[in-house]
Amino acid sequence: MDPGPIEDALVRIVGRAHALDAPDHRAGYEVDWTGQFRGQARMVVRPASTAEASACVAACARRGVPLVAQGGNTGLVGGSVPDGTGDAVVLSTRRLTDIGTVDQPGAQITVGAGVTLQGLNEHLRPHRLELGIDLAARGSATVGGMAATNAGGIHVIKHGSMRRRISGIEAVLGDGAVVSHLAGLDKDNTGYDLSSLLCGSEGTLGVITAVRLRLVPMAVERVTALTAWAGMRPMIEGLAQLRRALPALEAAEYMVRPGVELVLDRYQLSDPFPAPYPAYLLIEVGAEHDPTSEFATAIAALEGVRDVAVALDGQARERLWALRELHTEALSAAGPPRKYDVTVPPVSIPDFLDQVVAELVAGTTCHHFGHLADGNVHLNVLGVGDRPDAELDEIDGRVLGLVARHGGSISAEHGIGRAKRRWLGLSRSAAEISAFRAIKTGLDPAGIMNPGVLLPDLG
Ligand code: FAD
Ligand code: 2HG
Ligand code: ZN
């Protein structure tokens, strides 16, 4: 029997006010944060519950209509927006904002997928707990989106990426079935770990509707310093010393002079040092007690450091962090940048960067910064704006090929999305990709969940 138009079915499920079909109502859901990925949605639906989300997915599956899950739309690889065909429905999770009670003894909480990172941490503050993940898009990025991308950020050195912080997930699979595993048991050997599988699946296996999270004690005291270095190599040696001296090291973020200058110029900020330096490492220790004395001892013993600016109050800390966190916006304004979010072993970073610069085509410049302790380099190549696709592919192939030759990963924390799916084979074997396809077919038999994302085309 003909199930009737999908639009009518969706309106019946979520109500007219939350089924957006007018172009100006859909517009904000059709372009990603970078502005580089644009598409068109048949309709945007905003379910208010898992049951509504399940009914929406089932309605799409019955009709073979593609569906793109979207949280805060801060993703950087084009996975959160539909393609240009106008076929896909966007399912926004922003109304899934229930917050459960804080389980103090277990240090866990269950929250709706649409809760933002900032909203979650504000809710947890009176309980002196936090998620243990932080990133500059905290005001908009949602817990569901962070789970779907296995987000990393600035505290991975201490608390790991999102997968380590998740003890259970509730999700709607591609046929509309709801799988809910939210007890948050630390010991639970009862078969496949679907939560872990959904984490990092980028909306290709199901819509995550709620997440059970492992929390960490809130760092009541934080000490922050910007250290200046003669180059990447001494800075990496300095990081090794800091890791040994400071087990509570929570962030180790690096920048280099051209990126710092871009931020200083664009936002009219003052240089924290009287002289420029080739490289900078922003370090932060977070603890429940005052870590100043261990911090001061570690800094005093640091070999090779050229200068140090310690933040003595909250405003000074914000000024130091702004230098690092404004890189993405400053590069977008100078761009569009071609973005690569890669991991290489930290010791290999200097050689890798030298080789990237040698491989770049004339007229481009390469900015880089990132999460040094994780070996996570964010390369942003400028000067690519009006180049043809074939030339952009050539640049991608050169950069990502070098990553593979260094034994790295072509996506450290942002995911594969639309941007990198062609290159998945550089980091995953044919056998792994074929296992991915088998999982995809099993959980999304109609193939409607975020087609064109993560998995490369066949053939
Ligand atoms: P969206 O952008 O809406 O979606 C991202 C992907 O997840 C898409 O494929 C989408 O289909 C899927 N998805 C979203 N919600 C769901 C759901 N409920 N169920 C199933 N699939 C879903 N990332 C880092 O890892 N570390 C950083 O340090 C970092 N810094 C950033 C700084 C800035 C300024 C910006 C703009 C982005 C940054 N990001 C960073 C990238 C981004 O914030 C993360 O990828 C984040 O996890 C995306 O969350 P979101 O809710 O915005 O997801
Ligand atoms: C960060 O660490 C983000 O600031 C964004 O992951 C990186 O803009 C980028 O390339
Ligand atoms: Zn990052």
Side-chain angles (χ1 to χ4, degrees), residues 50-51 54 110-111 167-173 176-185 188 190 192-195 198 207-212:
T50 300
S54 160
T110 300
V111 302
S167 64
I169 275 182
E170 176 184 86
V172 179
L173 302 181
V178 176
V179 288
S180 186
H181 203 72
L182 295 171
L185 304 174
D188 181 12
T190 52
Y192 302 133
D193 186 351
L194 293 179
S195 305
L198 286 157
V207 179
I208 297 167
T209 51
V211 186
R212 179 89 180 160

Side-chain angles (χ1 to χ4, degrees), residues 69 180 189 202 227 289 302 350:
S180 186
N189 271 352
E202 301 184 46
T227 57
H289 63 276
L302 204 50

Side-chain angles (χ1 to χ4, degrees), residues 264 268-273 319 323:
L264 293 174
Q268 295 294 294
L269 303 176
S270 53
D271 199 319
F273 299 112
R319 278 199 296 277
L323 280 182

Side-chain angles (χ1 to χ4, degrees), residues 9-85:
L10 294 173
V11 169
R12 279 196 300 276
I13 296 163
V14 297
R16 183 70 263 172
H18 296 291
L20 316 177
D21 51 8
D24 53 336
H25 293 165
R26 295 190 327 249
Y29 299 86
E30 294 177 331
V31 56
D32 80 328
W33 188 91
T34 68
Q36 294 182 42
F37 294 90
R38 287 169 190 277
Q40 198 185 321
R42 179 192 283 261
M43 183 173 257
V44 177
V45 288
R46 301 188 301 198
S49 64
T50 300
E52 285 188 9
S54 160
C56 290
V57 176
C60 287
R62 237 182 124 193
R63 295 163 179 83
V65 170
L67 185 138
V68 180
Q70 188 182 98
N73 200 12
T74 66
L76 296 172
V77 288
S80 55
V81 290
D83 66 13
T85 58

Side-chain angles (χ1 to χ4, degrees), residues 33 135-138 154 253-255 258-270 282 318-334 337 339 367 369 380:
W33 188 91
L135 39 87
R138 57 185 73 81
I154 57 181
E253 297 290 307
Y254 92 88
M255 302 168 267
V260 167
E261 262 169 27
L262 201 71
V263 171
L264 293 174
D265 291 349
R266 175 155 185 90
Y267 300 98
Q268 295 294 294
L269 303 176
S270 53
L282 179 60
E318 272 173 31
R319 278 199 296 277
L320 293 184
W321 271 107
L323 280 182
R324 165 63 181 85
E325 293 202 327
L326 289 171
H327 267 64
T328 301
E329 279 179 39
L331 283 158
S332 280
K339 293 176 100 62
H367 283 268
F369 58 98
N380 282 251

